[in-house]
Amino acid sequence: MTMGRAAESPDAYIAALSGWQRERCEMMRSTIMTAAPFAETIKWTNLVFLANGPCILIRAEESRVLLGFWRGKRLRDIEPRIKASGKYELGNLVLTVEAEVSPAMVTQLASEAFRLNAELGNPAARA
């Protein structure tokens, strides 16, 4: 999947994927939804998980998948592969067919991301 027309739903987003990207995205999606009471939607052509504002995103691209966190810079102690990116405190974990992430790590990251948004508020809100 490449950026283009947005999927109509989170289920449609996953259904449009294939191979390792579909397997990885299915695992991350189900693990995130089990880790905390997130709402999920399609936003900016990505699969986005909301908890007091945007919290986590999954973005499938041609040869990689991004697992992004609005407060990702604060999660680098848990997962040092998270790279700072963009506005706010964004950070992305870049996954490829070779670069994987375990369900246990996704659970830990999602739980902490949820806690940070609960404690600090909506990361996209203007100060």
Side-chain angles (χ1 to χ4, degrees):
M1 172 179 277
T2 59
M3 276 189 55
R5 231 178 79 169
E8 293 181 17
S9 69
D11 288 338
Y13 188 94
I14 297 296
L17 302 174
S18 62
W20 72 268
Q21 290 175 309
R22 184 172 184 160
E23 291 172 11
R24 193 84 45 90
C25 290
E26 284 176 336
M27 178 277 288
M28 292 188 301
R29 179 187 184 202
S30 65
T31 302
I32 290 166
M33 293 302 290
T34 302
F38 290 102
E40 63 178 341
T41 190
I42 299 296
K43 204 167 192 63
W44 310 293
T45 70
N46 302 304
L47 181 53
V48 176
F49 300 87
L50 306 166
N52 198 14
C55 195
I56 302 171
L57 73 77
I58 294 175
R59 176 185 172 134
E61 298 179 346
E62 186 80 22
S63 61
R64 66 183 189 167
V65 172
L66 298 180
L67 179 59
F69 301 91
W70 266 259
R71 298 192 188 280
K73 292 176 184 174
R74 294 177 184 246
L75 301 175
R76 290 188 292 185
D77 287 344
I78 297 170
E79 175 50 88
R81 295 181 297 165
I82 293 175
K83 304 285 187 237
S85 170
K87 293 196 293 185
Y88 314 112
E89 298 180 72
L90 288 172
N92 293 314
L93 179 58
V94 178
L95 305 170
T96 63
V97 69
E98 297 88 13
E100 299 185 32
V101 65
S102 70
M105 179 57 71
V106 174
T107 297
Q108 188 176 1
L109 290 168
S111 297
E112 183 62 7
F114 182 89
R115 186 194 70 75
L116 286 168
N117 270 20
E119 179 182 311
L120 301 174
N122 183 341
R126 300 262 183 233

